[in-house]
């Protein structure tokens, strides 16, 4: 099965850049309307996904919910509670299921 049918073209995907600040990331996520958004480096390599909850808990734990202070904080400081591995567009359904199961088994709430 070709998963290309289910994918959004890269040019239409909202994403975060690793050199952005925490505030920029939050604003991009809010504007996109998504609840999770991929992060890429300067070369366009996938670094993972940041969720609304990742932002929320980072703000709560580190910055007392101060968005003004978040203007000076790198987006790379956001702790992510789950790892989302990319899947090739030629991946089989069994590979998709394996990656999905792996992600679910690694889930752990912040302590």
């Amino acid at each position: 099965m070709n998963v290309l049918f289910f994918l959004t073209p890269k040019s239409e995907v909202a994403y975060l850049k690793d050199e952005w600040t925490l505030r920029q990331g939050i604003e991009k996520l809010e504007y996109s309307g998504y609840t999770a958004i991929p992060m890429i480096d300067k070369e366009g390599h996938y670094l993972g996904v940041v969720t609304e909850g990742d932002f929320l808990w980072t703000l709560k734990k580190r910055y007392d919910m101060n968005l003004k202070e978040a203007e000076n904080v790198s987006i790379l400081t956001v702790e992510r509670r789950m790892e989302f591995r990319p899947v090739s567009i030629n991946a089989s359904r069994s590979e998709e299921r394996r990656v999905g199961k792996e992600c679910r088994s690694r889930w752990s709430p912040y302590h």
Side-chain angles (χ1 to χ4, degrees):
M1 174 181 202
N2 187 328
V3 297
L4 189 58
F5 176 78
F6 300 103
L7 300 177
T8 302
K10 192 174 186 178
S11 62
E12 296 176 22
V13 173
Y15 56 88
L16 306 173
K17 294 183 179 179
D18 67 347
E19 70 264 14
W20 287 359
T21 66
L22 184 57
R23 182 174 180 165
Q24 288 173 308
I26 290 168
E27 289 174 350
K28 180 71 171 196
L29 184 66
E30 178 183 30
Y31 180 77
S32 74
Y34 298 129
T35 58
I37 191 166
M39 184 177 5
I40 60 172
D41 64 16
K42 291 177 186 173
E43 290 80 35
H45 299 117
Y46 175 82
L47 298 176
V49 171
V50 181
T51 68
E52 289 176 328
D54 296 334
F55 281 118
L56 175 66
W57 298 122
T58 297
L59 284 170
K60 180 183 180 290
K61 286 170 50 177
R62 296 187 181 176
Y63 306 105
D64 296 323
M65 303 297 269
N66 184 338
L67 283 181
K68 187 67 177 164
E69 188 178 332
E71 291 177 3
N72 302 311
V73 178
S74 169
I75 198 167
L76 290 174
T77 65
V78 174
E79 295 177 37
R80 288 171 271 158
R81 69 180 175 97
M82 293 180 68
E83 177 185 345
F84 294 90
R85 291 189 23 209
V87 178
S88 166
I89 61 171
N90 297 315
S92 66
R93 284 295 288 159
S94 62
E95 174 68 5
E96 292 173 45
R97 279 191 229 96
R98 186 188 63 74
V99 170
K101 189 174 183 180
E102 244 178 56
C103 288
R104 286 188 298 278
S105 69
R106 288 190 195 142
W107 182 86
S108 64
Y110 292 128
H111 303 309

